[in-house]
Amino acid sequence: MKILGEPVARFVYLMLAALVVTPPDAESGEWDVGGQSSLELRYFPYPTAYAGQKNMKLSPSGTIEPELIYELDGSNRFTASPFARLDANDKRRTHVDLREFNWLHLGSSWDASMGIGKVFWGVTESVHLVDIINQTDLVEDISGEEKLGQPMVNVNIEQMWGTLSLFALPGFRPRTFTSDNARLHGPLAIDTANPQYESSKGKRHVDWAGRLAVTLGDLDISISHFQGTSREPRLLLKNRGGQDVLQPYYDQIGQTGLELQLTTENTLWKAESITRSGQGKRFYATVAGFEHTFYGVAESRADIGLLVEYMYDGRDPRFAPPSIANHDIFAGFRMALNDTQDTTALLGGSWDYRSDAGFVNLEAERRLTDHLKLEVKGRFFVHVPDGDPTAFIRNDDFLELKFRWYF
Amino acid sequence: MKSNDTRRHSAWLLAPLGMLALLLSPVWASALTAEDKGLEIATEADQRDTGFGDFRVELTMILRNKHKQETTRLMRNTTREQADDGDKTLIVFDNPRDVKGTAFLSHTHKAGSDDQWLFLPALKRVKRISSSNKSGPFMGSEFSFEDLASQELEKYTYKYIADETYDGHDDFMIERIPTDPKSGYYRQVVWLDKAEYRVWKIDFYDRKNELLKTLTYSDYKQYLNKYWRANHMEMINHQTGKSTTLKFIGYKFAIGTTEMDFTPNRLKNAR
């Protein structure tokens, strides 16, 4: 089984070699071994939409994600976090990845890391426009919040007013897609084995990124730029031996992002904007809104947050990968009971006011023991008309029950 | 007799400059109000704890419900003193395991609201959060955020109530009223010993001025030959019957932190 792409594998070998060459000092070093595994059951209540698609009415799956940290001294650290999923019905969802495999050095006013890592950019909740360093591990969740490990060399230079981060990103990770006969998949097969790239270097193209994050009192501002292979593929219609298939095509793009957050008393005002070139005409996209929290509701310990965000995306779906957040309004409630079990729930819905398509999202969790957590997740497609980007999977509403064991 | 004691004590506090003022104007000294004396005591306690620089300590938090069922939380706290502002504090959680690696950064301010950030390891996301939830429970415990925040002198107005013997030592009993309207308390009554100005007990009164919680301090140890820290705290909620024990293990002072160890960027790599 080919686990990792070739440039990624080379990177890992290099890192392993470096570890072997510099044996950790047994006197001062310290291992920390932890991680988590999970068992989940997905329930798809509605019948399949396409001939040949598996019903998967009740679909079990399990994951394991150990985390090994070796703290050499206060300023040098090695982290490894492999991930594996076994899925009863979806061969492509059964996959492994190195979420993290990196060496970190902490300097006095800078830090640097080399290896496979994960970086998050952004402030909003409904959609993460600016976040671009890591590829989405789409088979994990359609939320787009699960990410594949990305090979990188990262340097962060820090001043009291803010942080400048620079990234070299060798080795591209193609997006993962569910199996052609599985749920959360359209009618056409996706040729994930043969992705195409605009760059002649293909997945060996080295991408670059930088971000400047500044704090001005209650206002946090970040400006970022990414130059390289688009994390979002376009899916091109191809004919393979008389069969229509979709081939992922990764353009070269330049994307500049802006993040804003104003932290006032009970309200966080948030906005993200991007402008991207390389996929048809340069386009702009914005998400902006607020999160207002009512603390200690009705003299209880519970907090209730109200979230509202507006999404706009000006991309032309003929030249750019379609966005499901092009003319949408998101509203949600976040509840935290602040009890011993840290019970929380999020119920949100977004509504495309042009196509009238709706999407409802439910997430709830509660700790059962010091090591065990119960999670419930629901994704529901509401009134999705033909032509909406989510129309292909509108029968694939699901409820998910998950037990997470932390070790 | 009591007022005589008071006067003598204030003179002692204000020495040597105060002594001159006292000699020149005995009327001024006798006019010392309960508010002045309360502030004086609080200022002295604050002065005695100034200059510690930084420290690191492990915390064990035991949450107990009214049926005495226990839940344990483990975390590590690193604090750096600021010369002319509130302290900077970093808390990294170890247990329960699902919050392992979660980190909380707080820049407290003498005036205005504090700055707070939370690092969520699953998403590698640093979130700036609102600090106005002062009265909210910390980690589901009976301690609220404001109970654990650095106790800046400016955050209260003070009033001396009485001298009282508490648990075998001579104490001042003072009342302090939070200046922040977002505080969950109407007032607090604090017992400090006269010898070292250590806090031994705090009664917390809710917004309706009803007794809500009592915090008791014990197992005091002195560090750097100057700074006293209680290694055991017990918070009892009288209204719910729940309680929380906080144990401090392995205080280390003068650990050589820098300002850069307390930035939102560094929070990502806090361990």
Side-chain angles (χ1 to χ4, degrees):
Chain A
M1 182 165 52
K2 199 172 163 192
I3 294 169
L4 298 163
E6 206 184 306
V8 178
R10 207 184 302 155
F11 211 87
V12 171
Y13 297 144
L14 200 78
M15 292 285 301
L16 277 173
L19 268 179
V20 174
V21 173
T22 52
D25 182 352
E27 296 265 313
S28 61
E30 192 183 309
W31 282 100
D32 183 359
V33 180
Q36 55 171 285
S37 63
S38 73
L39 270 179
E40 71 174 47
L41 189 66
R42 277 185 175 179
Y43 169 58
F44 292 92
Y46 300 113
T48 53
Y50 314 110
Q53 198 171 17
K54 280 191 188 175
N55 195 4
M56 292 169 63
K57 196 165 190 95
L58 281 173
S59 190
S61 182
T63 66
I64 182 158
E65 188 174 3
E67 186 185 56
L68 293 96
I69 297 170
Y70 184 77
E71 190 87 51
L72 185 67
D73 49 44
S75 52
N76 288 286
R77 183 187 306 164
F78 168 74
T79 306
S81 183
F83 169 86
R85 173 182 291 278
L86 191 65
D87 192 279
N89 292 303
D90 187 334
K91 278 187 183 145
R92 284 194 194 146
R93 199 163 184 247
T94 297
H95 70 305
V96 297
D97 183 40
L98 262 179
R99 295 297 201 227
E100 281 189 83
F101 192 88
N102 60 62
W103 165 76
L104 169 73
H105 177 78
L106 298 169
S108 55
S109 59
W110 62 281
D111 60 80
S113 72
M114 191 177 91
I116 293 168
K118 198 152 85 167
V119 172
F120 179 85
W121 292 349
V123 291
T124 56
E125 302 299 326
S126 57
V127 62
H128 304 304
L129 284 175
V130 170
D131 189 36
I132 196 166
I133 298 291
N134 290 76
Q135 177 62 274
T136 298
D137 194 357
L138 195 62
V139 296
E140 281 299 300
D141 193 355
I142 54 171
S143 72
E145 285 192 338
E146 300 296 329
K147 297 291 178 184
L148 295 170
Q150 170 66 45
M152 66 178 78
V153 177
N154 166 222
V155 178
N156 301 309
I157 300 152
E158 209 167 352
Q159 295 296 319
M160 281 320 289
W161 44 263
T163 306
L164 175 68
S165 304
L166 299 167
F167 299 84
L169 308 162
F172 177 76
R173 309 292 314 276
R175 181 163 292 195
T176 57
F177 291 95
T178 54
S179 295
D180 294 331
N181 64 349
R183 288 290 191 140
L184 299 164
H185 197 287
L188 297 177
I190 297 178
D191 190 5
T192 51
N194 298 295
Q196 249 193 352
Y197 298 90
E198 180 183 346
S199 165
S200 57
K201 295 194 185 80
K203 66 164 95 172
R204 286 185 184 77
H205 184 272
V206 178
D207 303 337
W208 298 91
R211 181 172 179 253
L212 181 68
V214 178
T215 298
L216 302 165
D218 295 334
L219 184 67
D220 292 278
I221 307 172
S222 296
I223 298 165
S224 57
H225 186 78
F226 169 89
Q227 195 70 44
T229 309
S230 170
R231 271 50 183 150
E232 292 172 69
R234 284 188 287 143
L235 297 175
L236 307 179
L237 188 61
K238 290 284 163 76
N239 196 290
R240 292 267 154 76
Q243 283 270 27
D244 279 344
V245 298
L246 295 171
Q247 182 176 42
Y249 184 91
Y250 295 93
D251 299 290
Q252 285 295 305
I253 61 160
Q255 175 171 309
T256 307
L258 173 72
E259 298 154 62
L260 291 172
Q261 181 175 322
L262 180 67
T263 306
T264 63
E265 296 210 321
N266 291 12
T267 312
L268 311 176
W269 299 91
K270 301 165 168 191
E272 290 185 30
S273 261
I274 58 161
T275 168
R276 189 190 291 178
S277 63
Q279 290 172 328
K281 252 171 60 183
R282 170 177 288 279
F283 64 85
Y284 295 85
T286 292
V287 52
F290 67 85
E291 176 169 359
H292 182 85
T293 307
F294 302 92
Y295 296 109
V297 181
E299 304 205 358
S300 73
R301 296 161 75 100
D303 302 332
I304 289 181
L306 171 68
L307 295 98
V308 177
E309 285 177 4
Y310 168 75
M311 298 168 248
Y312 164 77
D313 201 311
R315 71 183 66 193
D316 184 339
R318 288 173 302 170
F319 306 109
S323 162
I324 58 163
N326 45 359
H327 303 93
D328 294 51
I329 292 165
F330 168 85
F333 290 97
R334 197 201 295 278
M335 187 190 66
L337 290 188
N338 294 318
D339 54 351
T340 316
Q341 293 81 19
D342 276 333
T343 311
T344 60
L346 174 74
L347 177 67
S350 45
W351 169 61
D352 187 321
Y353 59 83
R354 289 230 178 134
S355 78
D356 221 16
F359 177 66
V360 174
N361 185 12
L362 166 78
E363 287 170 22
E365 58 181 58
R366 180 177 173 87
R367 181 185 305 122
L368 300 178
T369 75
D370 268 7
H371 291 268
L372 190 65
K373 200 160 88 173
L374 173 66
E375 295 178 14
V376 177
K377 203 188 273 181
R379 312 269 188 235
F380 311 100
F381 302 96
V382 185
H383 194 264
V384 177
D386 295 339
D388 189 86
T390 59
F392 296 116
I393 54 171
R394 65 187 166 192
N395 275 27
D396 297 340
D397 308 48
F398 68 89
L399 257 176
E400 181 183 290
L401 184 74
K402 183 184 285 190
F403 288 95
R404 242 187 240 274
W405 174 258
Y406 296 85
F407 49 92
Chain B
M1 195 60 208
K2 191 169 259 180
S3 68
N4 216 4
D5 275 335
T6 308
R7 203 173 310 139
R8 222 175 31 232
H9 184 81
S10 359
W12 170 244
L13 275 180
L14 293 168
L17 275 176
M19 192 66 84
L20 187 65
L22 194 71
L23 286 169
L24 294 173
S25 168
V27 180
W28 174 84
S30 62
L32 196 68
T33 62
E35 283 77 10
D36 292 334
K37 184 163 180 192
L39 179 61
E40 235 175 50
I41 294 164
T43 306
E44 176 63 18
D46 187 65
Q47 281 296 316
R48 286 180 183 227
D49 201 50
T50 299
F52 65 82
D54 57 8
F55 66 80
R56 184 182 296 136
V57 67
E58 285 176 31
L59 283 85
T60 301
M61 200 178 230
I62 303 161
L63 284 58
R64 232 171 271 105
N65 67 14
K66 58 185 165 210
H67 309 296
K68 305 283 177 232
Q69 284 167 320
E70 291 188 351
T71 317
T72 305
R73 308 258 181 278
L74 301 175
M75 62 204 95
R76 285 162 290 140
N77 175 332
T78 311
T79 294
R80 181 177 165 84
E81 190 181 22
Q82 301 291 303
D84 39 19
D85 205 351
D87 298 343
K88 292 183 177 178
T89 294
L90 175 69
I91 298 172
V92 182
F93 298 95
D94 291 319
N95 194 286
R97 299 298 274 183
D98 61 285
V99 295
K100 183 175 185 266
T102 303
F104 173 73
L105 174 68
S106 172
H107 292 179
T108 51
H109 298 301
K110 286 182 190 285
S113 51
D114 299 342
D115 298 322
Q116 294 178 347
W117 295 262
L118 196 63
F119 172 66
L120 306 167
L123 298 174
K124 301 279 172 204
R125 181 173 181 179
V126 173
K127 262 183 164 179
R128 175 118 177 230
I129 57 174
S130 164
S131 65
S132 64
N133 185 23
K134 288 179 187 299
S135 58
F138 179 82
M139 293 289 286
S141 76
E142 296 313 307
F143 286 87
S144 66
F145 283 90
E146 65 184 308
D147 300 340
L148 294 168
S150 87
Q151 299 295 321
E152 302 301 326
L153 195 60
E154 292 80 356
K155 293 196 167 178
Y156 304 93
T157 58
Y158 303 86
K159 193 172 155 188
Y160 166 79
I161 301 175
D163 286 4
E164 203 180 84
T165 304
Y166 170 77
D167 203 23
H169 36 78
D170 288 339
D171 282 10
F172 298 115
M173 200 177 148
I174 63 168
E175 182 186 75
R176 57 184 194 191
I177 293 172
T179 49
D180 189 330
K182 288 215 158 45
S183 167
Y185 308 118
Y186 172 68
R187 65 188 179 105
Q188 301 173 4
V189 178
V190 185
W191 282 256
L192 308 94
D193 68 62
K194 293 184 178 180
E196 297 286 351
Y197 286 78
R198 293 168 298 196
V199 174
W200 291 93
K201 180 175 154 182
I202 304 176
D203 277 340
F204 297 90
Y205 290 82
D206 66 15
R207 282 279 164 200
K208 292 179 203 131
N209 201 15
E210 281 162 18
L211 181 62
L212 175 64
K213 302 188 291 192
T214 297
L215 175 61
T216 48
Y217 296 71
S218 57
D219 194 11
Y220 265 103
K221 288 195 177 74
Q222 198 175 24
Y223 300 90
L224 303 179
N225 291 319
K226 184 169 181 201
Y227 305 103
W228 290 96
R229 289 288 181 279
N231 283 257
H232 191 112
M233 292 185 193
E234 192 77 38
M235 181 74 94
I236 294 166
N237 188 320
H238 302 291
Q239 296 180 4
T240 63
K242 294 182 188 174
S243 66
T244 300
T245 302
L246 200 50
K247 290 181 194 163
F248 297 79
I249 301 143
Y251 262 111
K252 282 192 183 70
F253 281 77
I255 52 169
T257 60
T258 70
E259 287 300 298
M260 291 299 170
D261 295 323
F262 295 88
T263 63
N265 175 58
R266 197 44 73 89
L267 188 61
K268 294 196 299 263
N269 300 317
R271 260 179 53 70

